[in-house]
């Protein structure tokens, strides 16, 4: 029998009063893969994460994590799961090493394994030489690496990362991508919610795009691009009236089109002939798919 998927959601629903934050979500994280959860603000990504940690309880649907059914078996699932929260909740009064030690207790790491577990987490996060530093002396990037290291002390089979690089500068983001990439290579299953398309395109084996609490597309990034946006896009720049004209031209022909602040892109251009406007030809990308399916622009 194949191993149980790391995460399986079927028809998950979570309501907050009149708001349906998650509205019948299906989501799969096959064991040993990294899945990116993409969606505009309010799509339900954080609520989905909360369902997986049983911080929120679904009103309907099935949720399985590491072969355990939630919420009944959430405690057993949590023991094999690491969670990297969006909000930094490190203990500032403690050192790097002490923060990790606290979590070895919380996760009941056996006494003899505590030291090697901490060393391994420090090494993975490249924080070995900062072990004695107080958290409030660390840079933002180091703090984020420590948050990830802290989630790893009990060698989890599954890691949940909620917006792991939000608010970090591009250089620090690259460092974290390297760390997440290393964990992926080790075979840790991961679900990572993110606003950054590039993050998902680089790190995820498959992405699930969410809008209004549902999955609107799921698959390998390249496959999604080919399916929804084709191979080539023609991007036209110009003043707003010119862009409106190009958009109208494309709509009249039923072409898939995407507007950004300063340009209009006609998607699937390789299959279109005839009166394509003059523009820059470029490869279609995951951002095109995102905008097409969710109607939202992103940074
Ligand atoms: P963002 O990218 O902005 O973090 P998200 O995709 O994570 O958004 P959620 O935070 O899951 O989205 O929110 C989905 C919807 O549920 C939003 O309309 C939000 O206002 C609502 N919501 C989330 N948590 C609660 C709560 N505790 N009480 C009431 N409404 C909530």
């Amino acid at each position: 029998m194949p191993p149980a998927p790391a995460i399986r959601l079927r028809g998950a629903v979570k309501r907050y009063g009149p708001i349906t934050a998650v509205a019948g979500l299906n989501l799969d994280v096959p064991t040993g893969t990294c899945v990116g959860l993409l969606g505009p603000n309010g799509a339900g990504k954080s609520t989905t994460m909360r369902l997986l940690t049983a911080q929120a309880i679904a009103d309907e649907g099935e949720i399985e994590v590491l072969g355990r059914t939630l919420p009944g078996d959430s405690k057993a699932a949590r023991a094999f799961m690491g969670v990297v929260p969006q909000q930094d909740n490190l203990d500032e009064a403690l050192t790097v090493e002490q923060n990790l030690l606290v979590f070895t207790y919380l996760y009941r790491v056996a006494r003899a394994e505590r030291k090697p577990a901490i060393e391994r987490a420090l090494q993975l996060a490249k924080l070995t030489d900062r072990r004695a530093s107080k958290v409030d002396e660390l840079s933002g990037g180091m703090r984020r690496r420590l948050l990830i290291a802290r989630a790893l002390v009990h060698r989890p089979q599954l890691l949940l990362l909620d917006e792991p690089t939000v608010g970090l500068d591009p250089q620090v983001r690259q460092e974290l991508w390297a760390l997440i990439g290393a964990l992926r290579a080790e075979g840790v299953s991961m679900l990572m919610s993110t606003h950054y398309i590039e993050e998902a395109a680089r790190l995820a084996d498959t992405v699930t795009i969410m809008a209004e609490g549902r999955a609107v597309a799921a698959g390998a990034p390249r496959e999604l691009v080919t399916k929804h946006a084709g191979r080539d896009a023609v991007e036209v720049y110009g003043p707003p009236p010119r862009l409106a004209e190009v958009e109208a031209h494309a709509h009249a022909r039923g072409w898939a089109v995407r507007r950004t602040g300063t340009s209009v892109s006609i998607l699937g251009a390789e299959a279109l002939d005839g009166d394509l406007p003059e523009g820059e030809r470029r490869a279609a990308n995951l951002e095109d798919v995102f905008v097409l399916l969710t109607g939202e622009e992103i940074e």
Side-chain angles (χ1 to χ4, degrees):
M1 256 196 5
I7 294 175
R8 181 176 178 277
L9 260 72
R10 287 296 173 271
V13 174
K14 177 66 192 174
R15 296 185 198 94
Y16 292 108
I19 296 169
T20 305
V22 174
L25 179 66
N26 297 333
L27 174 69
D28 290 288
V29 178
T31 295
T33 70
C34 176
V35 174
L37 196 57
L38 278 173
N41 287 327
K45 303 179 298 294
S46 300
T47 305
T48 302
M49 291 292 189
R50 292 168 62 80
L51 290 175
L52 292 168
T53 55
Q55 286 165 285
I57 306 299
D59 297 301
E60 290 172 32
E62 293 167 24
I63 304 180
E64 282 167 31
V65 176
L66 299 169
R68 275 104 178 161
T69 303
L70 266 49
D73 263 350
S74 62
K75 218 169 164 191
R78 278 298 293 265
F80 299 97
M81 204 165 138
V83 181
V84 182
Q86 196 179 129
Q87 292 291 335
D88 176 338
N89 58 0
L90 295 164
D91 191 330
E92 299 213 346
L94 300 182
T95 65
V96 166
E97 189 167 357
Q98 286 166 341
N99 265 279
L100 297 176
L101 183 64
V102 168
F103 267 61
T104 62
Y105 286 103
L106 283 177
Y107 278 110
R108 300 177 191 281
V109 175
R111 175 192 278 266
E113 285 165 28
R114 275 179 214 145
K115 198 165 163 14
I118 290 171
E119 293 308 320
R120 182 179 161 276
L122 285 170
Q123 254 175 24
L124 262 166
K126 297 200 164 43
L127 286 169
T128 309
D129 57 355
R130 299 307 298 259
R131 63 196 312 148
S133 301
K134 283 262 180 62
V135 165
D136 61 7
E137 296 161 8
L138 301 181
S139 70
M142 288 175 191
R143 291 177 74 122
R144 208 64 72 97
R145 294 209 303 267
L146 179 56
L147 270 178
I148 298 180
R150 195 185 66 176
L152 295 173
V153 287
H154 57 307
R155 286 188 171 261
Q157 296 164 15
L158 168 66
L159 198 59
L160 300 185
L161 297 141
D162 195 1
E163 300 277 358
T165 68
V166 74
L168 298 177
D169 65 46
Q171 201 184 338
V172 177
R173 183 167 301 143
Q174 298 270 356
E175 280 177 23
L176 282 163
W177 286 352
L179 171 56
I180 295 168
L183 295 172
R184 182 183 166 196
E186 280 200 0
V188 177
S189 307
M190 284 187 269
L191 178 68
M192 172 178 70
S193 78
T194 181
H195 273 98
Y196 300 109
I197 301 276
E198 194 191 344
E199 184 159 280
R202 278 182 186 227
L203 296 175
D205 297 289
T206 59
V207 298
T208 291
I209 299 179
M210 274 185 90
E212 295 175 2
R214 283 190 194 84
V216 291
R222 248 357 294 164
E223 282 168 22
L224 288 180
V225 173
T226 309
K227 180 170 172 201
H228 296 279
R231 194 190 63 209
D232 290 345
V234 165
E235 190 156 0
V236 183
Y237 293 88
R242 170 66 183 145
L243 299 183
E245 194 183 295
V246 172
E247 225 173 5
H249 179 89
H251 282 312
R253 284 155 185 78
W255 296 344
V257 69
R258 166 191 169 196
R259 180 87 180 247
T260 68
T262 53
S263 70
V264 167
S265 293
I266 296 162
L267 308 174
E270 72 281 2
L272 308 175
D273 37 45
D275 48 357
L276 263 174
E278 281 286 307
E280 209 172 284
R281 203 168 261 258
R282 62 167 175 83
N285 58 42
L286 194 58
E287 196 173 322
D288 294 327
V289 179
F290 184 90
V291 175
L292 213 58
L293 296 181
T294 69
E296 300 267 345
E297 284 300 333
I298 41 162
E299 47 209 290

